[in-house]
Structure formats: structure tokens, C-alpha cells
Amino acid sequence: MGAILEVKGLTKRFSGLVAVNNVSFRVGEGEILGLIGPNGAGKTTIVSLISGTLRPTSGVLRFAGREIQTLPAFRRAQLSIGRTFQVMKPFPGLSVVDNVAVGALFGSGGGHSDLSGAREAARHWLDFVGLAHRADQHADSLGGPDRKRLELAKALAMKPKLLLLDEVMAGLNLVEIDEVIEVVKKVRAEGISILVIEHVMKAIQRLSDRLMVLHHGEKIAEGHPDEVLNDIHVIEAYLGRRRV
Ligand SMILES: Nc1ncnc2c1ncn2[C@@H]1O[C@H](COP(=O)(O)OP(=O)(O)O)[C@@H](O)[C@H]1O
Ligand SMILES: [Mg+2]
């Protein structure tokens, strides 16, 4: 299987703190790679290093065979790396559909140059994530679960080849989690490769083809989800956390 993303020796220092320490991994074409680890492990930092909102201290990032670590975030988005944000920031004055249309306007090769085409694409992605019925409301009127769906629709409207999902299930109930799992599976069925960060173990186990564990910025395990979750080091890293 070819790799859509290859990460080699990725390191990020924030003054004294090493948030990500010499981490290497790959995401295969059409693969779902799960990323777990305790709070502060460096998961969101890895997403920001891949999407370009942060620059690595050292290391190489190769997307579709091309080195991207020096490219600004907007260029990486154009190359079709999409992400969601752990803390969501919808454009507050805009309707739900126009929030997604912004993603369609600024997306990769398939980006729309006119607003009506972008809105049409936006409605398609709202339907895809189950939010079509709220398309014309103000984005700030959405509750937590619908904001997660909006965030996902915005990222999808950019037509990513690689999608980085940072805790899109946080704060959702079990029914809502099942719905998001189905949406993420549909995303993969579109041929999109996915790096998914999630604290909900049941969800990550069901979704991931492979699972990688970070602890204090270092990769401590990687492999089949069932094996990794039984790995003694992983259990130690999670000691005191209830596994769901
Ligand atoms: N912009 C930043 N400046 C300084 N330290 C940061 C910054 N972003 C993250 N960190 C630190 O890096 C570590 C990893 O954070 P993060 O990647 O957000 O972890 P996770 O997403 O796994 O919870 C934490 O100790 C965090 O406080
Ligand atoms: Mg995080």
C-alpha cells in the first residue's frame, strides 16, 4: 500500500518543552490511522505540524511523495490536507451553509471560484454529515454535536485526500458517537485517508485499521488496535484512566 503521508523524525520543541519527540509513522492510501495518548501527549501538536499551523523543530513530512514541512498551512490545504480543530471556531456571523461554503471556496484543486457553486457543494457535505436541516440557520445557534458535524463538513468541503480529525467525538453521547463513526466510515469509503485522534476507545478501536500511541511526545506503541490496546506499555500510560 502506498503512503499518502510519511512522517520521519518529527520533533517539536516549545522553549523548554519537547511536545513531539522524534516521531515517525505513515498513513497508507485509504487507511484510517488512530492516534491516542493521555492529555498533553502531543497529539494536537502532530496535527498542527502536518496541517502547517505549526512548523517542526526538525523532521521530514512527505505528502503524496512531496516534502511539505516548509510549506505554509494554506498551501498544504491546497494540496488537499484537511483538518478539524479540537476547539471549534465557526464564523459566527455566517449561516451554517456559508460556513461550509468557505471551505469549498478555499479547498484543493476542486475548489469553487463562485459562491453559488460553493454553496451547492456545501449543501452536499451538510447532507453527508446529517446537518442539511440546519443549513440556513446561524452557525452560533448550533449545539455541541451539530458543531462537530459542521466542523467535519467544513473540512470535507475542502476536498481533502488526507483528513486529520482531532477529537470530533468529545462531548457526544453514545448514540451521537455511533452516528459520527458511520460518517467517518463513509468518508473513508470516498477514498479519503484519515488520521483520527479520539479519547473514546470503543470508537477508535472500531474505526482504526492501525493504532499509534503517544506518551510524553514519544511513540510508545503502534499496530493492530486490539494488540495495541492490550500492550502493557499502553496500559501503563493510561493507568488511572478507565478504558471504555
Ligand atoms: N503553542 C504552544 N506553546 C507551548 N506549549 C504548547 C503549545 N501547544 C502545545 N503545547 C504543549 O505541548 C504539549 C502537547 O500538547 P498537545 O499536542 O495539545 O497534547 P494533546 O493534544 O495530546 O493533549 C503539552 O504539554 C502542551 O502544554
Ligand atoms: Mg489535543
Side-chain angles (χ1 to χ4, degrees):
M1 186 166 58
I4 184 90
L5 180 75
E6 278 183 277
V7 175
K8 287 216 176 106
L10 189 63
T11 296
K12 179 65 182 179
R13 287 200 186 85
F14 294 112
S15 52
L17 176 91
V18 187
V20 176
N21 193 1
N22 195 27
V23 171
S24 300
F25 63 95
R26 64 207 290 283
V27 181
E29 301 256 9
E31 184 180 39
I32 300 182
L33 178 67
L35 174 55
I36 62 170
N39 277 332
K43 305 180 298 295
T44 296
T45 301
I46 284 189
V47 165
S48 298
L49 290 167
I50 297 169
S51 66
T53 50
L54 285 175
R55 294 296 172 88
T57 306
S58 58
V60 176
L61 294 166
R62 219 173 263 116
F63 176 72
R66 169 179 180 173
E67 284 196 22
I68 57 162
Q69 66 272 4
T70 58
L71 299 179
F74 81 92
R75 285 286 301 133
R76 300 192 206 185
Q78 286 172 341
L79 288 174
S80 70
I81 298 175
R83 78 173 287 183
T84 61
F85 286 88
Q86 189 173 353
V87 180
M88 286 153 296
K89 303 166 251 184
F91 303 110
L94 295 184
S95 65
V96 168
V97 67
D98 281 350
N99 262 272
V100 181
V102 171
L105 283 169
F106 290 101
S108 63
H112 293 262
S113 51
D114 66 297
L115 189 55
S116 69
R119 282 190 173 133
E120 202 175 305
R123 286 185 191 275
H124 165 77
W125 291 116
L126 285 173
D127 189 43
F128 190 93
V129 302
L131 205 54
H133 58 296
R134 310 214 50 179
D136 298 309
Q137 298 173 12
H138 262 263
D140 7 15
S141 73
L142 296 185
D146 284 343
R147 281 189 182 222
K148 299 281 184 185
R149 288 192 182 89
L150 172 60
E151 188 68 12
L152 196 51
K154 273 164 69 176
L156 287 168
M158 297 185 72
K159 293 207 151 200
K161 290 197 181 87
L162 173 67
L163 184 59
L164 312 167
L165 300 176
D166 195 355
E167 298 202 25
V168 288
M169 297 178 205
L172 303 189
N173 67 35
L174 291 175
V175 174
E176 292 158 350
I177 286 170
D178 280 345
E179 288 168 3
V180 174
I181 288 175
E182 290 316 308
V183 172
V184 175
K185 284 183 176 168
K186 272 204 306 182
V187 171
R188 189 252 287 275
E190 300 264 307
I192 298 169
S193 311
I194 301 172
L195 176 67
V196 55
I197 295 174
E198 209 50 70
H199 274 308
V200 183
M201 288 301 152
K202 189 185 75 144
I204 204 100
Q205 202 164 4
R206 269 170 60 191
L207 270 177
S208 307
D209 299 312
R210 281 186 309 126
L211 193 54
M212 174 170 111
V213 188
L214 270 194
H215 189 42
H216 294 311
E218 294 182 16
K219 184 170 87 174
I220 59 164
E222 185 180 23
H224 189 279
D226 297 338
E227 284 164 23
V228 166
L229 290 173
N230 285 316
D231 187 306
I232 184 69
H233 301 293
V234 175
I235 293 165
E236 280 171 1
Y238 273 99
L239 213 65
R241 288 176 58 91
R242 196 170 69 87
R243 288 173 61 194
V244 275

